Amino acid sequence: MHDVAARAGVSIKTVSNVVNDRPHISAETRERVDRAIAELDYQVNVSARNLRLGRTGMIGLAIPALSVAYYGELADLVISRAAEEGLTVVVEPTAACRDAEIDALRGARRRLTDGLLIAPVTLTAADVTHLSAAGPLVILGEDVLDPAFDHVTMADVDGARAATELLLAQGRRRIAVVGPAPGEESKAGGLRLTGYRQALRAAGVPYDESLVVAAGAWGREDGARAALSLLDAGLAPDAVFAVTDTLALGVLHTLRTHGVAVPEDVAVVGFDDVDEARFSHPTLTSVSPGRAEIARTAVRLLQRRLVADGPVEPVVHQAEFRLVERGSTGADRAADSGE
Amino acid sequence: MHDVAARAGVSIKTVSNVVNDRPHISAETRERVDRAIAELDYQVNVSARNLRLGRTGMIGLAIPALSVAYYGELADLVISRAAEEGLTVVVEPTAACRDAEIDALRGARRRLTDGLLIAPVTLTAADVTHLSAAGPLVILGEDVLDPAFDHVTMADVDGARAATELLLAQGRRRIAVVGPAPGEESKAGGLRLTGYRQALRAAGVPYDESLVVAAGAWGREDGARAALSLLDAGLAPDAVFAVTDTLALGVLHTLRTHGVAVPEDVAVVGFDDVDEARFSHPTLTSVSPGRAEIARTAVRLLQRRLVADGPVEPVVHQAEFRLVERGSTGADRAADSGE
DNA sequence: CTGAAAGCGCTAACAC
DNA sequence: GTGTTAGCGCTTTCAG
């Protein structure tokens, strides 16, 4: 910067002003400085600027893993939105592990970033003591852990209700649910089960607990196994609502290998609307949780805290969902793929 | 740090020594400093340290997108290896777009990081002029763009040959290839086609160009479409080698919907060994390119440059592949999933 | 509108 | 073994 100033025949302060696009600089001076910058191939030193400004321009994104389709797609969106705000994202995979989530909250990495976006899987409301570690924070996820923090949630209950209503409208009455673990009322699976029950109640269809199958984890194989247990038990459902797309894809697999026609014999709906749902066989009807809106809102809320002087009123934002109908509920599939 | 020094009754320099684990510090002093650090909840200022040291402790990872399974899985591994080296990763999705790839190489972000790992999709050897932008660099990918840089490649040719040999050993003689675009000899598709041809030649099986089907892009739907064109053309292959798993998954889809039994009528092999291959129907035999080794080696090569004083001799490293046999070539599927 | 000087928090010579 | 001191490159009062 000294060199640039010397070459342009101005003071170092003027160079700084030009670089930071300050007003009150004569066009002629600005041009001279710009030329000097170009000639010397000068680039500002980010570390020095950060030191002086007391911020790093970076935010953390703590999620279970990038290899999980939902989070990989979310990360792409967050990175893109953050870039528009001039922010750089550091991804911290937590492997859905409690220690890693706490570390994201309190660890050294936290000092490296100005703020944190975290999608907690294992943390509970009781862990908010850990969250008290200072610094701007936005929580992504289903349940509101502590209303003292910003939350960006999705419409688990309403989305699940809409999915169930679609099945009911087709005359389906024995609608199985795959995924919810007992006792997880406030997590995604539990909330989505709540939406399902609301739809049943509104339609006057009795709730049959034997049609609810837990799935262990949320992988394809868990869905396949759950569907198998449904078939083996002779429960003869005429529809399945799986609380995630990966589970639904596993369900589709089992139904296919057992000669059950989808959607004729059994309709299937998932949740998440991952890319793979557009290409499965049949294509998968799913609740799109508004990933783009979630990413956008999360970055915006965090940025709001970054630029704020004083304390900021916490916000809970729920993204709008959309039910995307595809082949697994009999929708026209012509637009879905090239087949 | 001043406060810590004051409270511990030592100089600021001693605090620095303790924090950085320097030798020649009496246990007693160290303990006193540690206590003061804990009491004051002191954390080093990363920006200041970086400014002083002239480095940031961060590396970039430029890949097409995290939502693409292969790259999402790779990113998880790179982040984990980098963390072991004390490095923080900044992911830069390029959307397989030329401008974004050049920006990763020359843009402002480059100044923020000490080094860059890039998986170029559009850059060619001619673009090495852009690569000349200073700074440690490791190139991930199939072809060697410029031997002046470190490259971490995978065994495209050998892996494809092994895949083809497996099919030949089963007596398959009409082995279709899905994916290679004409004129991309040095890209992944072309290299994998080369391996296929080597295997045919070694087995004395004539190369039939009509069995090679380009696929446009590398999505599931592209594979489905390519398989359809094979069937429509009445080419009656008894096996398909798809140059990526996503293509292979599309191929499986089409075969299934057309009543072609896999592996009885047609065996299928993919390349990449993405997680989804373990759960498809049937499970997919695939060439595992050694993702873990690629991630490990790439981080190691970059770190080598980061710590080096003078110039470093460039290295080209090819990861070891492994052919993973699954249901789509008739392997025992018992271990693959819970079904 | 531009210049001079101070200092962000840390590390590394160099003395003691 | 430990203390003193001089910057790393930038932004920013405060003068002019």
Side-chain angles (χ1 to χ4, degrees), chain B residues 296-311:
Chain B
R296 185 180 351 116
T297 308
V299 172
R300 191 167 47 71
L301 289 180
L302 190 56
Q303 174 74 320
R304 188 186 62 138
R305 288 189 179 273
L306 297 185
V307 301
D309 286 328

Side-chain angles (χ1 to χ4, degrees), chain A residues 53 61 66 109 162 174 181 210 231-232 243 247 254-255 283 295 316:
Chain A
L53 263 39
L61 174 65
L66 291 170
R109 196 59 67 72
R174 295 190 51 75
S210 68
L231 296 180
D232 286 351
V243 299
L247 286 173
T254 293
L255 296 178
T283 54
V316 174

Side-chain angles (χ1 to χ4, degrees), chain A residues 89-109:
Chain A
V89 175
V90 173
V91 177
E92 284 186 80
T94 61
C97 152
R98 194 179 145 72
D99 289 346
E101 289 187 348
I102 292 175
D103 187 61
L105 243 23
R106 307 195 58 101
R109 196 59 67 72

Side-chain angles (χ1 to χ4, degrees), chain A residues 5-339:
Chain A
R7 186 178 253 268
V10 299
S11 89
I12 187 175
K13 157 73 170 157
T14 306
V15 178
S16 173
N17 282 342
V18 170
V19 169
N20 293 292
D21 243 3
R22 288 288 144 57
H24 309 311
I25 300 217
S26 74
E28 197 252 340
T29 306
R30 155 163 284 131
E31 205 225 326
R32 227 174 41 234
V33 172
D34 279 338
R35 192 165 46 239
I37 287 176
E39 285 168 3
L40 269 52
D41 196 23
Y42 163 81
Q43 305 202 244
V44 306
N45 178 316
V46 185
S47 296
R49 168 180 288 175
N50 290 343
L51 172 58
R52 184 62 239 232
L53 263 39
R55 47 163 213 65
T56 66
M58 298 196 291
I59 61 176
L61 174 65
I63 51 172
L66 291 170
S67 51
V68 174
Y70 175 79
Y71 292 109
E73 294 178 16
L74 182 67
D76 275 335
L77 291 167
V78 167
I79 290 172
S80 151
R81 303 301 309 194
E84 290 172 17
E85 304 274 358
L87 295 169
T88 296
V89 175
V90 173
V91 177
E92 284 186 80
T94 61
C97 152
R98 194 179 145 72
D99 289 346
E101 289 187 348
I102 292 175
D103 187 61
L105 243 23
R106 307 195 58 101
R109 196 59 67 72
R110 191 74 197 280
R111 298 284 319 165
L112 184 71
T113 51
D114 296 334
L116 179 65
L117 258 28
I118 184 170
V121 175
T122 66
L123 297 182
T124 65
D127 294 313
V128 289
T129 50
H130 293 296
L131 305 187
S132 64
L137 182 69
V138 173
I139 299 175
L140 309 176
E142 302 80 19
D143 46 350
V144 173
L145 291 174
D146 182 336
F149 296 98
D150 287 334
H151 284 75
V152 181
T153 68
M154 57 178 86
D156 290 294
V157 176
D158 294 348
R161 189 173 56 230
T164 311
E165 283 165 355
L166 171 67
L167 296 169
L168 289 167
Q170 297 188 346
R172 318 276 177 176
R173 285 299 174 269
R174 295 190 51 75
I175 304 172
V177 182
V178 167
E184 294 215 320
E185 281 73 21
S186 71
K187 290 288 179 182
L191 295 171
R192 292 169 192 179
L193 179 62
T194 300
Y196 162 86
R197 296 187 63 169
Q198 287 181 0
L200 287 194
R201 194 175 318 120
V205 175
Y207 172 61
D208 179 355
E209 204 166 295
S210 68
L211 285 172
V212 180
V213 187
W218 283 359
R220 294 178 184 83
E221 75 277 27
D222 302 294
R225 209 176 295 124
L228 204 59
S229 80
L230 273 173
L231 296 180
D232 286 351
L235 290 169
D238 55 13
V240 174
F241 168 49
V243 299
T244 75
D245 278 0
T246 35
L247 286 173
L249 291 161
V251 169
L252 285 181
H253 180 193
T254 293
L255 296 178
R256 199 163 49 221
T257 56
H258 286 72
V260 179
V262 178
E264 293 78 5
D265 300 336
V266 174
V268 176
V269 179
F271 203 114
D272 278 349
D273 194 28
V274 299
D275 188 62
E276 191 181 345
R278 292 164 45 218
F279 302 114
S280 61
H281 173 65
T283 54
L284 179 64
T285 293
S286 185
V287 178
S288 173
R291 240 193 311 284
E293 180 182 351
I294 290 172
R296 184 178 354 113
T297 308
V299 171
R300 192 168 46 73
L301 289 179
L302 191 56
Q303 174 73 322
R304 188 185 63 135
R305 290 191 177 272
L306 297 185
V307 301
D309 286 330
V312 175
E313 193 68 18
V315 165
V316 174
H317 177 97
Q318 178 166 293
E320 270 184 48
F321 75 93
R322 195 165 59 88
L323 183 60
V324 183
E325 297 186 46
R326 298 203 182 92
S328 66
T329 55
D332 178 13
R333 294 169 54 203
D336 275 327
S337 78
E339 307 166 50

